[in-house]
Amino acid sequence: MKKFLLSSIIIIIGLSFIGRLSYLQLFSYSSTQVLEDIAIKAVYDYPERGYIYDRNGKLLVANQPAYDVMVIPREVKKLDTLEFCKLLGIEKKDFLKQIAKAKNYSPRLPSVLVPQLSKVDYARLQEKMRKYRGFYIQKRSLRYYDTNSGANVFGFISEVNDFELSENPYYKQGELKGRTGIEKQYEELLRGRKGVKYIQKDRFNRDIGPYKNGTLDTLPQQGKEIKITIDKVLQEYGELLMQGKRGGIVAIEPATGEILAMISGPSYDPALLVGRERSRNYTKLYNDSIAQPTYDRSVLAQTSPGSPFKTINALIGLQENVITPETKIQCFNGFYVGQRKRGCHCGGGLRKLNDGIFRSCNAYFAGTFRKIFDKYPDSDEGLDVWDEHVKSFGLGSFLGSDIPTGRSGLIPTTDTYDRMYGDNRWSSSYFISNAIGQGEVLVTPIQLANMTAAIANRGHYIVPHVLKEVEGVRIKDSIFTQPQYTTIDKKHFEPVIEGMADVFRQAGGTAHRLQIEGIAIAGKTGTVENFTKINGVRTQLTDHSVFVAFAPVDNPKIALAVYIENGYFGGRYAGHIAALLIEKYLKGTITRTDLEKKMLEKTLEKEYAKALSGEPFRINERNW
C-alpha cells in the first residue's frame, strides 16, 4: 500500500510539472515575456507610413527608403573604434555617447546607433558591417514630399524621447513618431503597426532559427492612406504669394468646414526635416527668433481683428433690434469718447448700415456698439449678451478642429473689465474700441476664416478640419459634419452681406480696385494698429493688413482670412492676396496679373528690418 501511495505521489508530481511546462510553452508565453528571455532576440519589421493625398487625389507625402545602423550592446566585440567611426562618418565621442545610451536603454535589445543612412552610404557599408559583431543595418522608411509647401500642415516626424518610451510601450528606442501637424494628430492611423520576428539563440549566442517556429511572429500592418482637405495648387500658390512677407492665411469651404489652404509665412521646405540633417536644420529654423519660420501664424498669431469685426457688431445690432439697415448715424470724420475724438477715413456724413460697411465707417459702428449696451440696465448684462453673440461665431475658443496646435484668442468678459477697472466701475465707453476691432478682442487667422464662413453660410459653420478620407472612406465624425449655429437669425445676414459685396462693387468701397471679373465677392478690409516696445518705449509700427472674404456671394465655395504683419491698410497686401487666391481656386487661372505681379515682386523685408535698424516707420504710407 505504501509503495502504491509513493508511486502515485511521484506520478502526480511528474504530471503536474509536465502540465505546467506545457502550459507555459503553449499558452502563457506572451511576447512581453519572450523579450525577457536572453536566449531570444526580437527583429522588428517596420511598415511604411500611410501616404497623404490632397482633396483632389494629388500626392503630397510618400516614403523613401532609409537605413539605420543598429547596435545590441551585449553582443559587441572588441573593435577598432576609430576605423569603425570613420566608416560610419561619425566622431568617436558621438559613437561612445550612443553606445552608452544604448546600454542604458537595454544591453540585450537593439538601439539605433546611426539613424537614416542614405542609399549610397548603405551600399558602401552593407558588406563591411559583417566584421563588426553586435552591429547590423535595419531598413526603414522616411518621408518624401511631392511638394515644397505645407510644412506647417504636415508637421514632421522624429525619434521618440525617453519620456515617450516610458509612457507608451508600443515604441522602442530609435523609433519615429509624429511631432507636429497631421503627422502628430493622426499618428496611429499613419504609422501602421510594426511586425516582429523572434529568433532563438544557442548558448554561443548564435542564431539557430525562429522561436516556436514563428508562431509568435507578427506581420507589419501598413499605415493607412489618408486624403486631406488641402488643395495642393492653392496651398503652393498661397505660399508663393507670401514670399518676403510674414503672416497667416486660412481658406475654408463654407459648406463643409474643410480647410482648403493653411499658410504661414515665412515657411520652409518640409524636406529639410527629413534625414540625418533634420536635427541641425530644425535647430536653425527654430532659433530664427526674428522671422520664426516654425511659428505657425495661421493658428497661433493672435491679433486684433480690425474692421472685419464690424460685421459681427452689425449682426448683433440687428439681432438685438437696436438698429435696422436704414438706421442713420452721423459721422463727424470720427466719433467722440468723452472729449476725445477717434478718427475715421470714410469722409464723414450720415451713414446707414450698407455704406457703413463698404466705406468702413468707425463712427457708425461705435454708435451701434453703444446702442447694444444702452439697451440693457447695466454694462455687465449688456456685455454678457454681447459675449454670447460673439462667441457663437467660434471666437474665443479653439474651435475643436483636428489641428493639434492653436490659440483660443480672447473675447473679454465682465471679469476682464472688473480686473482692469474694478467692479461696477466701467461702461461701454471704456472698451468702445471693440466696436471697430481694435480693443481687447484677439483672434487668430483660422478663427477669422471660420467667422467669415459662418457669415457666408448665413448663420452657421462646420468646425474647420483637415482630414477628409481614410482609405477612401469619408470621415463621419459628427463634430466635423454637424452645423454649429450662431445666435443671429438668418434674415439679418443679407443686409450685412450686401454691404460686404459693395466693398468690391461700389466706387467708394475699400476693395473696389480688387474686383475679379466674373466672380461676385463679399469681403471686408481691416487695418490693425500695431504697437511694440523698442528700448522700453511704446512705439507704433506700420499697421497690420487684414482681409476677409468669401465667394461667390451666392452658394459660396471659399471663405478666407488673410493677415499680413506690417502690411499697411487692409486693401493693400492682404486684399491683393485674398483676391488672387479666390480667383485661383474658382477659375484655376489668374486674370488679374497686375495684382499678381505686385505680390510676387513686393516684399516687406525692409519693413521688418526697421525694428532692428532704427529707421523710422511711415505709418500706412500709400506710395507703393
Side-chain angles (χ1 to χ4, degrees):
M1 184 66 183
K2 287 183 179 180
K3 287 184 179 180
F4 176 76
L5 182 60
L6 182 61
S7 299
S8 298
I9 292 172
I10 292 172
I11 292 171
I12 291 171
I13 292 172
L15 289 174
S16 297
F17 272 109
I18 293 170
R20 181 59 180 166
L21 289 171
S22 299
Y23 176 79
L24 289 173
Q25 289 288 318
L26 297 176
F27 302 108
S28 68
Y29 217 42
S30 69
S31 58
T32 303
Q33 290 171 313
V34 169
L35 293 176
E36 295 172 358
D37 190 330
I38 62 173
I40 301 168
K41 77 172 182 180
V43 177
Y44 293 103
D45 188 359
Y46 293 95
E48 288 194 351
R49 284 180 80 86
Y51 284 25
I52 302 175
Y53 297 88
D54 90 331
R55 64 186 297 104
N56 300 309
K58 295 179 180 178
L59 180 65
L60 293 170
V61 186
N63 299 300
Q64 57 183 317
Y67 306 88
D68 292 344
V69 177
M70 308 296 292
V71 59
I72 303 175
R74 70 187 297 269
E75 297 181 11
V76 174
K77 304 300 181 184
K78 188 175 181 180
L79 74 158
D80 185 332
T81 306
L82 289 177
E83 179 188 67
F84 191 52
C85 289
K86 184 177 180 181
L87 184 65
L88 295 176
I90 61 174
E91 297 290 331
K92 181 178 179 179
K93 60 182 177 62
D94 295 327
F95 171 80
L96 296 176
K97 179 181 177 181
Q98 287 299 107
I99 290 290
K101 183 178 179 182
K103 287 180 178 177
N104 185 58
Y105 170 66
S106 173
R108 296 182 297 101
L109 298 178
S111 294
V112 175
L113 178 69
V114 180
Q116 303 166 16
L117 295 176
S118 67
K119 284 190 256 186
V120 174
D121 289 337
Y122 168 69
R124 180 171 55 84
L125 287 171
Q126 188 177 19
E127 292 300 321
K128 298 178 181 179
M129 288 295 291
R130 294 181 180 178
K131 63 183 286 191
Y132 299 104
R133 293 286 302 275
F135 300 92
Y136 66 95
I137 294 178
Q138 178 173 276
K139 182 180 178 181
R140 71 167 70 209
S141 62
L142 297 179
R143 283 313 211 183
Y144 164 78
Y145 297 95
D146 200 42
T147 176
N148 58 8
S149 300
N152 63 312
V153 180
F154 308 138
F156 65 94
I157 58 177
S158 66
E159 286 188 26
V160 291
N161 56 40
D162 291 340
F163 175 77
E164 288 163 334
L165 288 171
S166 65
E167 287 292 303
N168 191 335
Y170 172 82
Y171 295 103
K172 307 300 178 186
Q173 197 271 337
E175 292 183 359
L176 303 175
K177 179 182 180 182
R179 282 279 160 241
T180 59
I182 292 170
E183 297 280 16
K184 176 181 179 180
Q185 184 69 19
Y186 295 109
E187 161 71 6
E188 292 190 12
L189 284 176
L190 291 168
R191 79 182 182 200
R193 193 158 192 88
K194 61 178 176 278
V196 61
K197 294 179 180 178
Y198 297 104
I199 307 298
Q200 181 78 53
K201 309 182 87 173
D202 64 15
R203 63 192 182 93
F204 298 107
N205 206 33
R206 295 175 300 195
D207 294 351
I208 58 175
Y211 175 69
K212 283 185 174 292
N213 294 317
T215 56
L216 293 179
D217 295 353
T218 59
L219 293 173
Q221 296 178 14
Q222 178 77 25
K224 294 186 183 299
E225 290 184 357
I226 66 172
K227 180 182 284 189
I228 62 174
T229 63
I230 296 294
D231 184 294
K232 181 180 181 180
V233 173
L234 190 67
Q235 181 78 22
E236 291 176 344
Y237 186 59
E239 291 196 19
L240 179 66
L241 296 176
M242 282 294 287
Q243 288 184 5
K245 309 166 189 73
R246 299 175 191 168
I249 303 170
V250 176
I252 295 173
E253 184 178 64
T256 62
E258 294 178 351
I259 297 175
L260 305 173
M262 197 171 83
I263 297 156
S264 179
S267 188
Y268 56 90
D269 188 334
L272 288 174
L273 300 187
V274 175
R276 294 179 68 177
E277 297 300 312
R278 185 205 68 80
S279 182
R280 184 180 302 172
N281 289 337
Y282 181 79
T283 300
K284 183 177 179 181
L285 291 168
Y286 183 79
N287 288 338
D288 184 352
S289 59
I290 298 175
Q292 297 179 298
T294 60
Y295 178 70
D296 188 353
R297 289 169 169 86
S298 67
V299 293
L300 294 173
Q302 293 186 133
T303 185
S304 297
S307 291
F309 196 66
K310 292 173 180 175
T311 59
I312 300 300
N313 281 317
L315 289 165
I316 296 172
L318 293 168
Q319 182 68 28
E320 291 294 314
N321 294 314
V322 297
I323 62 167
T324 71
E326 301 304 314
T327 299
K328 296 179 180 179
I329 295 177
Q330 182 70 44
C331 177
F332 299 97
N333 290 312
F335 61 95
Y336 287 89
V337 182
Q339 298 297 312
R340 183 185 172 205
K341 185 178 181 180
R342 300 288 300 272
C344 180
H345 54 71
C346 78
L350 281 174
R351 298 285 175 226
K352 294 182 182 179
L353 176 63
N354 183 266
D355 58 350
I357 292 175
F358 79 73
R359 294 183 185 276
S360 200
C361 176
N362 290 341
Y364 182 87
F365 291 99
T368 300
F369 194 75
R370 285 194 181 103
K371 289 176 182 291
I372 295 168
F373 282 82
D374 289 347
K375 176 181 176 180
Y376 293 93
D378 58 64
S379 295
D380 281 43
E381 186 176 347
L383 186 57
D384 288 342
V385 171
W386 183 83
D387 264 1
E388 183 183 1
H389 287 309
V390 172
K391 289 177 179 177
S392 73
F393 285 83
L395 302 177
S397 76
F398 288 98
L399 291 174
S401 73
D402 57 349
I403 299 162
T405 189
R407 287 184 175 167
S408 63
L410 174 66
I411 302 301
T413 64
T414 54
D415 289 341
T416 305
Y417 297 116
D418 283 346
R419 289 195 302 269
M420 292 173 66
Y421 304 113
D423 193 13
N424 295 319
R425 301 186 65 181
W426 49 269
S427 65
S428 62
S429 63
Y430 281 59
F431 47 87
I432 200 166
S433 291
N434 289 319
I436 58 174
Q438 292 285 175
E440 288 72 35
V441 172
L442 295 176
V443 297
T444 60
I446 192 172
Q447 289 174 328
L448 272 181
N450 184 68
M451 178 195 85
T452 308
I455 296 173
N457 288 334
R458 279 69 171 172
H460 74 271
Y461 66 88
I462 308 293
V463 171
H465 55 280
V466 292
L467 183 63
K468 188 176 179 72
E469 295 178 4
V470 178
E471 295 281 317
V473 179
R474 291 186 68 89
I475 60 168
K476 297 178 181 179
D477 193 328
S478 61
I479 192 175
F480 301 139
T481 56
Q482 297 300 315
Q484 310 293 314
Y485 289 95
T486 71
T487 56
I488 310 299
D489 294 339
K490 187 174 182 178
K491 64 182 180 181
H492 295 310
F493 285 88
E494 290 307 326
V496 172
I497 291 172
E498 190 71 14
M500 294 174 71
D502 282 342
V503 166
F504 285 85
R505 294 186 305 214
Q506 294 292 337
T510 53
H512 174 64
R513 297 182 180 181
L514 303 179
Q515 295 180 70
I516 304 294
E517 186 177 353
I519 302 177
I521 307 175
K524 187 72 193 73
T525 56
T527 304
V528 177
E529 291 181 344
N530 179 21
F531 291 89
T532 192
K533 282 190 176 182
I534 299 178
N535 296 325
V537 179
R538 188 171 186 263
T539 305
Q540 184 171 9
L541 312 181
T542 305
D543 293 341
H544 299 316
S545 177
V546 179
F547 199 94
V548 301
F550 63 88
V553 172
D554 297 318
N555 192 25
K557 303 297 184 185
I558 181 173
L560 53 73
V562 181
Y563 157 68
I564 307 295
E565 294 178 9
N566 305 87
Y568 297 83
F569 48 91
R572 192 159 169 173
Y573 283 92
H576 281 59
I577 291 172
L580 288 168
L581 288 175
I582 287 172
E583 183 174 30
K584 186 72 170 180
Y585 184 68
L586 295 180
K587 289 185 175 181
T589 58
I590 296 296
T591 60
R592 289 301 305 268
T593 54
D594 56 323
L595 302 183
E596 183 181 59
K597 186 174 185 293
K598 277 186 178 180
M599 290 301 98
L600 294 178
E601 293 178 352
K602 297 282 185 180
T603 79
L604 289 164
E605 296 294 355
K606 289 184 178 179
E607 201 65 45
Y608 302 135
K610 290 177 181 178
L612 300 175
S613 68
E615 183 180 344
F617 292 90
R618 295 179 177 87
I619 308 304
N620 283 349
E621 180 181 56
R622 290 187 175 265
N623 294 322
W624 69 312

